[in-house]
Amino acid sequence: MPHFVVDYSDNLHERLDFQPLFKALHEYVVSTGAFPIGGVRSRAIRCYDYRVADGREDFAYLNLSLKIGHGRDMELKQQVAKRVFEILCEWMKPVTDNHYVQISFEMTELDPVLKFNKNNIHPLFK
């Protein structure tokens, strides 16, 4: 953990390069000292079927979800959420300066009893 999941409207696809966003997000969360690099992962999912507002074809959306493991205090979570949204909006600025886009972000803390994972990458970063 954490996991960044972006879903976005198909009409943004040609305007977005996700690698700089993912790099900035990974570097930031690791810099907090609260998230180990070996557990950070990101992915983008292009959505072909969507409708934004009244359905105009030039309206677009991008949603970023951040899933984190249980156990961090609220102050840290708020700090991380605020900075992640700032990074996202900075990265989207070239698009939002010229196009109509809804940007949203949410952080979810996963229940430790209901979350399972196996990760053999962590030892590489010790």
Side-chain angles (χ1 to χ4, degrees):
M1 287 291 167
H3 298 182
F4 294 97
V5 181
V6 179
D7 64 279
Y8 63 97
S9 57
D10 175 54
N11 60 352
L12 288 176
H13 187 71
E14 298 301 320
R15 299 182 186 114
L16 303 176
D17 178 5
F18 287 101
Q19 291 309 313
L21 173 64
F22 294 160
K23 182 178 188 295
L25 292 171
H26 285 222
E27 287 175 353
Y28 169 66
V29 296
V30 171
S31 78
T32 68
F35 304 97
I37 186 67
V40 184
R41 63 190 85 158
S42 296
R43 58 193 172 274
I45 303 165
R46 182 177 179 179
C47 185
Y48 294 94
D49 296 314
Y50 63 92
R51 182 180 176 92
V52 176
D54 64 1
R56 293 180 209 183
E57 289 185 21
D58 60 334
F59 285 177
Y61 86 90
L62 184 139
N63 177 68
L64 173 62
S65 298
L66 170 55
K67 299 176 185 181
I68 63 169
H70 179 74
R72 291 156 185 98
D73 65 52
M74 183 56 74
E75 184 178 343
L76 175 67
K77 290 186 288 189
Q78 288 176 322
Q79 172 190 335
V80 168
K82 181 179 180 205
R83 182 63 189 136
V84 164
F85 190 64
E86 288 170 353
I87 291 168
L88 175 63
C89 289
E90 288 168 14
W91 174 77
M92 282 294 293
K93 189 167 179 6
V95 177
T96 57
D97 282 351
N98 299 298
H99 304 281
Y100 295 105
V101 183
Q102 297 173 342
I103 301 172
S104 56
F105 165 71
E106 69 175 330
M107 178 189 290
T108 305
E109 184 176 38
L110 301 177
D111 186 311
V113 176
L114 302 175
K115 178 188 144 307
F116 301 87
N117 62 313
K118 182 176 179 179
N119 182 343
N120 65 357
I121 295 175
H122 281 297
L124 299 174
F125 294 96
K126 291 199 184 227

